[in-house]
């Protein structure tokens, strides 16, 4: 008797699950079709194009095997772009996170107008990379830039630097600009982490005689491990893909002084009409970002566990 009652209930439950599953599939299907059309298919097609000499315009596509990859690994220009990319990425990860952590601590300790200061520091994030690049290009201009005019006014004209025209300073100008723009974004992440730390921990440490640095070193900093993991990951990925600032401020110059892997893909693919070679470079950039991200995740997660 018990078996005859259980079977219909089970069958009814299975039918409901199948019905819910069918509804879920219909909801997911439009997004899956769009994602396939605009992400999966172009990615797979890029792998195919990397083995061609296609110029991006003509209908003829000629397969050349691994010639693009051989040229890529023999090119001094590519190695220079890789060097610039690594220098830029490491500098931005360190400087953006240090600046963001300092800003977060300052905002967290402010008693009055906390929301105002948070908005001021976050405002550069809202600017587009193009607009921000134009603004800083004017600031760094050797002839009429704000920095040059200020040095002229105070009688220090000999200290003027051609930031964007000197290969020794152009990459530094890009770094300064990007740190100014991105620090506010990571400040919000650190600020959320700071506000999640119980105040009783710092109060107890202060009662025990710990100074500000000791409280930060042994309490605040370890408890910000998860926020730091997110910030470092995002800043590294963003630095590896930086494009807007370089396009507006230096166009990869002077010479190839600020040309990164992202920018060389654009220059080769659209400037020199070598889509096949540019696609091969973009695949190398994808592999680089993937490797760096996996290494970061492993190291930062291990650090979280240790802390």
């Amino acid at each position: 008797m018990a078996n005859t009652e259980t079977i219909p209930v089970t069958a009814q439950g299975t039918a409901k699950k199948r019905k819910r599953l069918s509804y879920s599939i219909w909801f997911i299907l439009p997004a899956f079709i769009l994602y396939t059309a605009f992400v999966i298919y172009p990615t797979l097609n890029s792998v195919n194009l990397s083995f061609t000499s296609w110029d991006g315009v003509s209908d003829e596509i000629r397969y050349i095997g691994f010639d693009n990859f051989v040229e890529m690994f023999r090119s001094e220009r590519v190695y220079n772009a890789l060097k610039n990319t690594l220098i830029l990425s490491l500098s931005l990860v360190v400087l953006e996170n240090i600046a963001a952590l300092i800003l977060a601590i300052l905002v967290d300790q402010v008693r009055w107008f906390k929301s105002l200061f948070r908005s001021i520091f976050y405002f550069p994030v809202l600017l587009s990379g193009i607009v921000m690049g134009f603004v800083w290009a004017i600031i760094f201009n050797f002839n009429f830039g704000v920095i040059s005019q200020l040095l002229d006014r105070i009688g220090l004209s000999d200290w003027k630097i051609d930031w964007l025209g000197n290969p020794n300073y152009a990459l530094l100008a890009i770094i300064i600009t990007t740190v100014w723009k991105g620090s506010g974004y990571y400040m919000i992440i650190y600020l959320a982490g700071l506000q999640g730390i119980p105040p009783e921990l710092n109060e107890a440490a202060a009662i025990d005689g710990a100074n500000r640095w000791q409280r930060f070193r042994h309490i605040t900093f370890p408890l910000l491990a998860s926020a730091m993991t997110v910030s470092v990951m995002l800043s590294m990925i963003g630095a590896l893909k930086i494009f807007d600032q370089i396009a507006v401020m230096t166009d990869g110059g002077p010479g190839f002084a600020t040309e990164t892997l992202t920018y060389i893909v654009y220059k080769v693919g659209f400037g020199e009409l070598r889509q096949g070679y540019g696609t091969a470079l973009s695949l190398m950039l994808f592999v680089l970002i993937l490797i760096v991200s996996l290494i970061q995740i492993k190291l930062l997660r291990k650090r979280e566990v240790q802390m």
Side-chain angles (χ1 to χ4, degrees):
M1 188 69 179
N3 292 335
T4 57
E5 292 179 355
T6 305
I7 292 174
V9 173
T10 305
Q12 185 178 6
T14 303
K16 287 184 178 180
K17 288 182 180 179
R18 289 178 179 175
K19 192 174 182 180
R20 285 197 298 267
L21 180 61
S22 64
Y23 286 151
S24 301
I25 292 174
W26 283 109
F27 277 112
I28 295 172
L29 189 59
F32 177 75
I33 292 174
L34 291 174
Y35 187 79
T36 301
F38 292 102
V39 178
I40 296 178
Y41 173 74
T43 302
L44 296 177
N45 192 44
S46 296
V47 177
N48 177 55
L49 291 176
S50 66
F51 296 102
T52 70
S53 60
W54 187 47
D55 59 4
V57 179
S58 63
D59 295 331
E60 180 184 358
I61 298 178
R62 185 169 62 90
Y63 287 89
I64 58 175
F66 289 92
D67 289 357
N68 286 328
F69 295 94
V70 172
E71 180 183 352
M72 178 175 64
F73 287 111
R74 291 180 177 176
S75 173
E76 292 185 6
R77 183 182 178 186
V78 173
Y79 282 111
N80 177 70
L82 177 61
K83 181 193 72 173
N84 291 337
T85 301
L86 295 177
I87 292 174
L88 194 64
S89 301
L90 293 175
S91 300
L92 289 179
V93 168
V94 173
L95 296 177
E96 280 184 334
N97 281 277
I98 290 176
L101 183 56
I102 293 174
L103 292 177
I105 293 174
L106 292 176
V107 171
D108 187 57
Q109 293 181 352
V110 169
R111 294 185 178 181
W112 303 97
F113 305 110
K114 181 176 293 189
S115 298
L116 175 63
F117 286 109
R118 185 187 306 170
S119 301
I120 291 173
F121 293 143
Y122 188 78
F123 176 74
V125 181
L126 303 178
L127 297 176
S128 71
I130 301 296
V131 172
M132 182 266 298
F134 276 119
V135 170
W136 277 92
I138 295 173
I139 293 174
F140 284 126
N141 188 278
F142 181 75
N143 296 315
F144 56 83
V146 175
I147 298 176
S148 295
Q149 289 189 17
L150 180 61
L151 292 174
D152 288 335
R153 294 283 181 88
I154 62 178
L156 296 175
S157 300
D158 294 338
W159 288 21
K160 291 167 60 175
I161 297 174
D162 189 3
W163 288 93
L164 303 179
N166 190 326
N168 297 322
Y169 296 101
L171 195 62
L172 178 59
I174 299 293
I175 293 172
I176 293 172
T177 303
T178 309
V179 170
W180 177 82
K181 184 182 189 302
S183 297
Y185 179 81
Y186 305 110
M187 176 200 70
I188 298 299
I189 298 176
Y190 283 116
L191 190 59
L194 287 172
Q195 293 177 349
I197 298 176
E200 294 82 7
L201 297 177
N202 282 302
E203 292 173 1
I207 293 175
D208 290 338
N211 55 35
R212 287 177 177 268
W213 168 249
Q214 290 173 331
R215 294 199 298 270
F216 173 79
R217 173 66 183 86
H218 298 288
I219 297 176
T220 304
F221 189 71
L223 293 177
L224 286 176
S226 59
M228 184 170 293
T229 299
V230 175
S231 296
V232 170
M233 280 288 300
L234 293 177
S235 60
M236 175 61 77
I237 294 174
L240 289 171
K241 299 189 300 181
I242 187 171
F243 177 83
D244 296 349
Q245 295 89 314
I246 298 174
V248 173
M249 298 177 66
T250 63
D251 194 28
F256 302 115
T258 58
E259 197 172 64
T260 60
L261 288 177
T262 306
Y263 202 70
I264 197 176
V265 169
Y266 162 75
K267 293 284 283 187
V268 168
F270 296 96
E272 302 174 12
L273 294 180
R274 302 181 63 194
Q275 285 286 343
Y277 185 52
T279 305
L281 288 169
S282 66
L283 289 178
M284 185 184 73
L285 178 62
F286 169 76
V287 173
L288 176 63
I289 294 176
L290 180 63
I291 293 173
V292 171
S293 300
L294 291 176
I295 293 174
Q296 274 191 313
I297 291 174
K298 184 175 181 179
L299 293 177
L300 292 174
R301 290 299 183 189
K302 183 178 179 181
R303 175 180 172 274
E304 286 184 31
V305 173
Q306 290 176 347
M307 287 189 171

